[in-house]
């Protein structure tokens, strides 16, 4: 089962908290398809959603802070796939200094997300398949010819047997 997210939600990975996986769900994700689309996340993420005027976007820097990360690391359970419990996350007190600046911090987070989105869109070289399909529909309605993409070629490989000395010198990862 996946968890459905909304624009403005904050997601935090409960798996391997030392990786510091915290993100603001950008509103642009919901405009990728005509008519909108649903966005889901793995159940390994906790979804934090604002309510009653509380904007969860302002929590991102707090959740990435050293103090919170140390608390999550200390509360993790399991060796191979360490996780922390939702109760730990919900028990973290939000300092007054963070609460006072919440709206301003949320606005800064949204501006940062918009700037990052703009930068990524301007520099990307790959186009999502759905975008090509939408563009093709428009072109065909105007009487033009749709763009055609190339299918990816399968990967190829060859077996190479090396002695341990030569292999260790020519490879970054040798077992």
């Amino acid at each position: 089962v996946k968890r459905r997210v909304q624009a403005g939600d904050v997601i935090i990975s409960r798996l391997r908290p030392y990786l510091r996986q915290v993100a603001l769900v950008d509103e642009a994700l919901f405009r990728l398809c005509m008519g909108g689309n649903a966005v889901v996340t793995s159940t390994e993420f906790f979804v934090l959603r604002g309510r009653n005027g509380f904007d969860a976007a302002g929590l991102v820097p707090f959740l990435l802070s050293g103090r919170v990360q140390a608390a999550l690391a200390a509360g993790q359970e399991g060796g191979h796939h360490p996780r922390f419990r939702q109760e730990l996350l919900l028990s973290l007190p939000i300092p007054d200094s963070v609460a006072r600046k919440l709206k301003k911090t949320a606005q800064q987070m949204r501006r940062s997300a918009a700037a990052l989105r703009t930068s990524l869109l301007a520099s990307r070289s790959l186009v999502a398949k759905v975008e090509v399909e939408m563009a093709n529909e428009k072109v065909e309605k105007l009487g033009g010819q749709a763009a055609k993409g190339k299918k990816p070629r399968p990967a190829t490989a060859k077996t190479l047997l090396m002695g341990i000395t030569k292999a260790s010198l020519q490879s970054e990862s040798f077992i």
Side-chain angles (χ1 to χ4, degrees):
V1 176
K2 301 288 184 188
R3 292 188 172 138
R4 195 174 193 146
V5 294
Q6 299 174 4
D9 285 350
V10 172
I11 57 174
I12 180 169
S13 175
R14 68 189 202 105
L15 178 65
R16 296 186 180 106
Y18 54 85
L19 294 177
R20 300 171 47 110
Q21 298 177 79
V22 178
L24 171 64
V25 178
D26 187 29
E27 61 196 39
L29 288 172
F30 299 89
R31 296 191 305 257
L32 292 176
C33 298
M34 280 200 262
N37 59 303
V39 179
V40 296
T41 186
S42 161
T43 55
E44 291 294 344
F45 285 89
F46 291 125
V47 178
L48 305 176
R49 182 169 297 144
R51 62 179 179 208
N52 300 327
F54 183 87
D55 193 345
L59 292 175
V60 173
F62 169 68
L63 293 170
L64 289 169
S65 70
R67 198 186 97 197
V68 170
Q69 290 296 310
L72 296 178
Q76 71 187 18
E77 299 171 351
H80 192 64
H81 297 290
R83 292 173 172 80
F84 65 88
R85 294 178 182 260
Q86 185 175 12
E87 295 78 24
L88 172 63
L89 181 63
L90 296 175
S91 71
L92 295 172
I94 299 173
D96 289 338
S97 60
V98 171
R100 280 194 301 273
K101 298 183 214 171
L102 195 67
K103 284 187 180 183
K104 183 179 178 182
T105 305
Q107 290 170 347
Q108 290 172 335
M109 290 305 306
R110 291 182 197 292
R111 280 194 301 271
S112 294
L116 177 61
R117 179 180 352 106
T118 301
S119 174
L120 290 172
L121 289 174
S123 67
R124 73 178 181 178
S125 60
L126 298 176
V127 179
K129 182 178 178 182
V130 70
E131 292 180 75
V132 172
E133 290 170 355
M134 289 171 26
N136 280 343
E137 286 177 22
K138 288 179 185 177
V139 169
E140 287 174 343
K141 284 181 184 176
L142 297 172
Q145 188 174 357
K148 295 179 182 172
K150 292 183 180 179
K151 292 199 181 265
R153 291 181 295 156
T156 59
K158 64 179 182 177
T159 303
L160 183 62
L161 182 61
M162 293 189 221
I164 191 165
T165 305
K166 189 172 183 181
S168 65
L169 293 173
Q170 292 186 3
S171 172
E172 289 182 22
S173 175
F174 177 75
I175 297 177

